[in-house]
mmCIF file of all heavy atoms in Angstrom:
data_model
loop_
_atom_site.group_PDB
_atom_site.id
_atom_site.type_symbol
_atom_site.label_atom_id
_atom_site.label_comp_id
_atom_site.label_asym_id
_atom_site.label_seq_id
_atom_site.Cartn_x
_atom_site.Cartn_y
_atom_site.Cartn_z
ATOM 1 N N TRP F 668 -44.800 -26.660 3.633
ATOM 2 C CA TRP F 668 -45.395 -27.795 4.318
ATOM 3 C C TRP F 668 -46.865 -28.006 3.962
ATOM 4 O O TRP F 668 -47.379 -29.117 4.128
ATOM 5 C CB TRP F 668 -45.237 -27.677 5.857
ATOM 6 C CG TRP F 668 -45.753 -26.469 6.552
ATOM 7 C CD1 TRP F 668 -45.026 -25.472 7.100
ATOM 8 C CD2 TRP F 668 -47.148 -26.146 6.877
ATOM 9 N NE1 TRP F 668 -45.844 -24.515 7.727
ATOM 10 C CE2 TRP F 668 -47.144 -24.934 7.586
ATOM 11 C CE3 TRP F 668 -48.338 -26.771 6.614
ATOM 12 C CZ2 TRP F 668 -48.318 -24.331 8.043
ATOM 13 C CZ3 TRP F 668 -49.545 -26.160 7.055
ATOM 14 C CH2 TRP F 668 -49.517 -24.967 7.751
ATOM 15 N N MET F 669 -47.528 -26.984 3.437
ATOM 16 C CA MET F 669 -48.947 -27.134 3.114
ATOM 17 C C MET F 669 -49.115 -28.094 1.935
ATOM 18 O O MET F 669 -49.870 -29.087 2.012
ATOM 19 C CB MET F 669 -49.589 -25.791 2.851
ATOM 20 C CG MET F 669 -51.115 -25.876 2.752
ATOM 21 S SD MET F 669 -51.940 -24.255 2.610
ATOM 22 C CE MET F 669 -51.724 -23.607 4.256
ATOM 23 N N PRO F 670 -48.436 -27.863 0.788
ATOM 24 C CA PRO F 670 -48.520 -28.858 -0.290
ATOM 25 C C PRO F 670 -47.969 -30.211 0.135
ATOM 26 O O PRO F 670 -48.462 -31.263 -0.328
ATOM 27 C CB PRO F 670 -47.686 -28.238 -1.411
ATOM 28 C CG PRO F 670 -47.698 -26.762 -1.148
ATOM 29 C CD PRO F 670 -47.701 -26.651 0.361
ATOM 30 N N ALA F 671 -46.926 -30.206 1.008
ATOM 31 C CA ALA F 671 -46.359 -31.478 1.475
ATOM 32 C C ALA F 671 -47.398 -32.326 2.224
ATOM 33 O O ALA F 671 -47.501 -33.542 2.026
ATOM 34 C CB ALA F 671 -45.138 -31.203 2.361
ATOM 35 N N LYS F 672 -48.143 -31.679 3.111
ATOM 36 C CA LYS F 672 -49.192 -32.391 3.851
ATOM 37 C C LYS F 672 -50.261 -32.942 2.934
ATOM 38 O O LYS F 672 -50.724 -34.090 3.091
ATOM 39 C CB LYS F 672 -49.825 -31.453 4.893
ATOM 40 C CG LYS F 672 -48.935 -31.142 6.076
ATOM 41 C CD LYS F 672 -49.565 -30.097 6.993
ATOM 42 C CE LYS F 672 -50.817 -30.619 7.678
ATOM 43 N NZ LYS F 672 -51.375 -29.622 8.627
ATOM 44 N N PHE F 673 -50.650 -32.162 1.932
ATOM 45 C CA PHE F 673 -51.676 -32.597 0.982
ATOM 46 C C PHE F 673 -51.161 -33.820 0.214
ATOM 47 O O PHE F 673 -51.908 -34.805 0.040
ATOM 48 C CB PHE F 673 -52.020 -31.459 0.028
ATOM 49 C CG PHE F 673 -53.129 -31.780 -0.945
ATOM 50 C CD1 PHE F 673 -54.424 -31.875 -0.494
ATOM 51 C CD2 PHE F 673 -52.869 -31.976 -2.284
ATOM 52 C CE1 PHE F 673 -55.460 -32.173 -1.378
ATOM 53 C CE2 PHE F 673 -53.874 -32.283 -3.178
ATOM 54 C CZ PHE F 673 -55.176 -32.375 -2.716
ATOM 55 N N ALA F 674 -49.909 -33.746 -0.248
ATOM 56 C CA ALA F 674 -49.339 -34.870 -0.987
ATOM 57 C C ALA F 674 -49.264 -36.123 -0.104
ATOM 58 O O ALA F 674 -49.609 -37.240 -0.545
ATOM 59 C CB ALA F 674 -47.963 -34.495 -1.508
ATOM 60 N N ALA F 675 -48.809 -35.951 1.132
ATOM 61 C CA ALA F 675 -48.662 -37.084 2.034
ATOM 62 C C ALA F 675 -49.985 -37.801 2.284
ATOM 63 O O ALA F 675 -50.069 -39.046 2.244
ATOM 64 C CB ALA F 675 -48.033 -36.609 3.354
ATOM 65 N N LYS F 676 -51.009 -37.009 2.571
ATOM 66 C CA LYS F 676 -52.309 -37.615 2.893
ATOM 67 C C LYS F 676 -52.918 -38.265 1.649
ATOM 68 O O LYS F 676 -53.546 -39.339 1.735
ATOM 69 C CB LYS F 676 -53.247 -36.570 3.486
ATOM 70 C CG LYS F 676 -54.543 -37.179 4.008
ATOM 71 C CD LYS F 676 -55.373 -36.136 4.771
ATOM 72 C CE LYS F 676 -56.642 -36.772 5.334
ATOM 73 N NZ LYS F 676 -57.456 -35.777 6.107
ATOM 74 N N LEU F 677 -52.771 -37.621 0.495
ATOM 75 C CA LEU F 677 -53.305 -38.178 -0.723
ATOM 76 C C LEU F 677 -52.657 -39.532 -1.036
ATOM 77 O O LEU F 677 -53.324 -40.500 -1.387
ATOM 78 C CB LEU F 677 -53.113 -37.196 -1.876
ATOM 79 C CG LEU F 677 -53.990 -37.397 -3.114
ATOM 80 C CD1 LEU F 677 -55.463 -37.253 -2.777
ATOM 81 C CD2 LEU F 677 -53.608 -36.386 -4.188
ATOM 82 N N MET F 678 -51.320 -39.588 -0.891
ATOM 83 C CA MET F 678 -50.595 -40.841 -1.139
ATOM 84 C C MET F 678 -51.074 -41.945 -0.208
ATOM 85 O O MET F 678 -51.233 -43.122 -0.612
ATOM 86 C CB MET F 678 -49.107 -40.637 -0.980
ATOM 87 C CG MET F 678 -48.456 -39.782 -2.037
ATOM 88 S SD MET F 678 -46.701 -39.528 -1.634
ATOM 89 C CE MET F 678 -46.242 -38.285 -2.857
ATOM 90 N N ALA F 679 -51.303 -41.619 1.050
ATOM 91 C CA ALA F 679 -51.660 -42.621 2.041
ATOM 92 C C ALA F 679 -53.083 -43.108 1.926
ATOM 93 O O ALA F 679 -53.405 -44.243 2.333
ATOM 94 C CB ALA F 679 -51.447 -42.049 3.456
ATOM 95 N N ASN F 680 -53.964 -42.306 1.341
ATOM 96 C CA ASN F 680 -55.398 -42.652 1.306
ATOM 97 C C ASN F 680 -55.919 -43.076 -0.070
ATOM 98 O O ASN F 680 -56.986 -43.667 -0.149
ATOM 99 C CB ASN F 680 -56.216 -41.458 1.799
ATOM 100 C CG ASN F 680 -56.079 -41.241 3.290
ATOM 101 O OD1 ASN F 680 -56.820 -41.810 4.081
ATOM 102 N ND2 ASN F 680 -55.128 -40.433 3.691
ATOM 103 N N ASP F 681 -55.172 -42.788 -1.120
ATOM 104 C CA ASP F 681 -55.627 -43.084 -2.478
ATOM 105 C C ASP F 681 -55.681 -44.583 -2.726
ATOM 106 O O ASP F 681 -54.738 -45.328 -2.387
ATOM 107 C CB ASP F 681 -54.695 -42.411 -3.487
ATOM 108 C CG ASP F 681 -55.074 -42.694 -4.914
ATOM 109 O OD1 ASP F 681 -56.287 -42.732 -5.199
ATOM 110 O OD2 ASP F 681 -54.173 -42.866 -5.749
ATOM 111 N N ALA F 682 -56.773 -45.061 -3.323
ATOM 112 C CA ALA F 682 -56.938 -46.485 -3.643
ATOM 113 C C ALA F 682 -56.748 -46.795 -5.111
ATOM 114 O O ALA F 682 -56.963 -47.910 -5.550
ATOM 115 C CB ALA F 682 -58.320 -46.945 -3.163
ATOM 116 N N SER F 683 -56.372 -45.804 -5.890
ATOM 117 C CA SER F 683 -56.235 -46.013 -7.354
ATOM 118 C C SER F 683 -54.797 -46.415 -7.695
ATOM 119 O O SER F 683 -53.905 -46.431 -6.832
ATOM 120 C CB SER F 683 -56.591 -44.729 -8.106
ATOM 121 O OG SER F 683 -55.516 -43.810 -8.035
ATOM 122 N N ASP F 684 -54.581 -46.710 -8.951
ATOM 123 C CA ASP F 684 -53.242 -46.973 -9.459
ATOM 124 C C ASP F 684 -52.642 -45.739 -10.139
ATOM 125 O O ASP F 684 -51.668 -45.852 -10.878
ATOM 126 C CB ASP F 684 -53.275 -48.145 -10.474
ATOM 127 C CG ASP F 684 -53.524 -49.468 -9.791
ATOM 128 O OD1 ASP F 684 -53.205 -49.585 -8.603
ATOM 129 O OD2 ASP F 684 -54.042 -50.394 -10.455
ATOM 130 N N ASN F 685 -53.238 -44.595 -9.891
ATOM 131 C CA ASN F 685 -52.766 -43.359 -10.513
ATOM 132 C C ASN F 685 -51.558 -42.788 -9.744
ATOM 133 O O ASN F 685 -51.507 -42.869 -8.528
ATOM 134 C CB ASN F 685 -53.868 -42.296 -10.549
ATOM 135 C CG ASN F 685 -55.017 -42.719 -11.435
ATOM 136 O OD1 ASN F 685 -54.811 -43.248 -12.525
ATOM 137 N ND2 ASN F 685 -56.247 -42.499 -10.977
ATOM 138 N N PRO F 686 -50.603 -42.181 -10.453
ATOM 139 C CA PRO F 686 -49.449 -41.598 -9.779
ATOM 140 C C PRO F 686 -49.802 -40.349 -9.018
ATOM 141 O O PRO F 686 -50.657 -39.568 -9.426
ATOM 142 C CB PRO F 686 -48.481 -41.283 -10.936
ATOM 143 C CG PRO F 686 -49.385 -41.074 -12.103
ATOM 144 C CD PRO F 686 -50.510 -42.035 -11.925
#
Side-chain angles (χ1 to χ4, degrees):
W668 57 252
M669 190 175 288
K672 288 174 66 177
F673 184 72
K676 188 172 182 179
L677 199 62
M678 290 176 190
N680 288 272
D681 179 37
S683 78
D684 288 335
N685 295 317

